[in-house]
């Protein structure tokens, strides 16, 4: 497993996302309950009004007994890589990732199957093309 990013972000509105940095409209549409998925991003639930740990990994699943899958999607990534965090608090970090299709599997440590009380989110990335 390779760790691309590890850090904390302040969460408001109970959501953490991973989305394309190049396309300013890539954040998933806020349509119904979380998770939200779009062509260029994915957004999942997290504990509200607190700091949540985010890890972006490649390769294997998280090495944590409490981690379980809350969402999976294939998204498109542009020339500028990806960003992750919470847009409502501007607690966002960008990092490089190759252009093309990418499979994202999202895990959390929540006791709730939807991740509503998650304090750690793992985005596991796998290049498709």
């Amino acid at each position: 497993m390779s760790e691309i990013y590890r850090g904390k972000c302040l969460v408001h509105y109970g959501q953490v996302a991973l989305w394309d940095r190049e396309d300013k409209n890539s954040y998933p549409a806020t349509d119904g309950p979380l998770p939200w998925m779009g062509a260029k991003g994915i957004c999942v639930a997290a504990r509200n009004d607190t700091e949540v740990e985010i890890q972006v990994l490649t390769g294997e699943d998280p090495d944590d007994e409490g981690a379980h899958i809350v969402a999976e999607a294939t998204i498109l990534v542009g020339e500028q890589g990806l960003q992750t965090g919470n847009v409502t608090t501007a607690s966002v970090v960008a990092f490089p990732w190759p252009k093309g299709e990418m499979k994202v599997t999202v895990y959390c440590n929540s006791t709730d199957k939807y991740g509503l009380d998650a304090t750690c989110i793992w985005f596991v990335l796998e290049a498709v093309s």
Side-chain angles (χ1 to χ4, degrees):
M1 173 171 37
S2 177
E3 185 175 281
I4 296 170
Y5 171 76
R6 178 191 297 248
K8 293 192 180 251
C9 82
L10 178 60
V11 173
H12 286 178
Y13 299 102
Q15 58 183 275
V16 171
L18 176 90
W19 67 102
D20 177 55
R21 186 170 180 224
E22 182 176 352
D23 183 349
K24 301 303 178 206
N25 296 312
S26 63
Y27 198 87
T30 57
D31 184 25
L34 291 161
W36 302 323
M37 295 173 237
K40 297 182 178 182
I42 185 166
C43 185
V44 297
R47 182 174 287 167
N48 196 33
D49 294 333
T50 191
E51 282 195 335
V52 171
E53 182 171 343
I54 298 175
Q55 294 181 37
V56 181
L57 312 168
T58 61
E60 300 175 18
D61 302 339
D63 187 19
D64 186 297
E65 280 186 30
H68 63 90
I69 295 174
V70 288
E72 295 179 279
T74 299
I75 65 172
L76 294 171
V77 180
E79 298 280 349
Q80 296 178 14
L82 294 163
Q83 49 195 2
T84 188
N86 182 278
V87 294
T88 61
T89 61
S91 185
V92 174
V93 65
F95 57 91
W97 185 263
K99 180 180 177 178
E101 272 191 314
M102 175 186 60
K103 179 182 176 191
V104 183
T105 306
V106 188
Y107 296 79
C108 77
N109 68 342
S110 175
T111 56
D112 173 87
K113 71 178 182 176
Y114 301 108
L116 299 174
D117 64 349
T119 58
C120 188
I121 305 290
W122 293 268
F123 293 99
V124 179
L125 313 181
E126 178 184 343
V128 175
S129 60

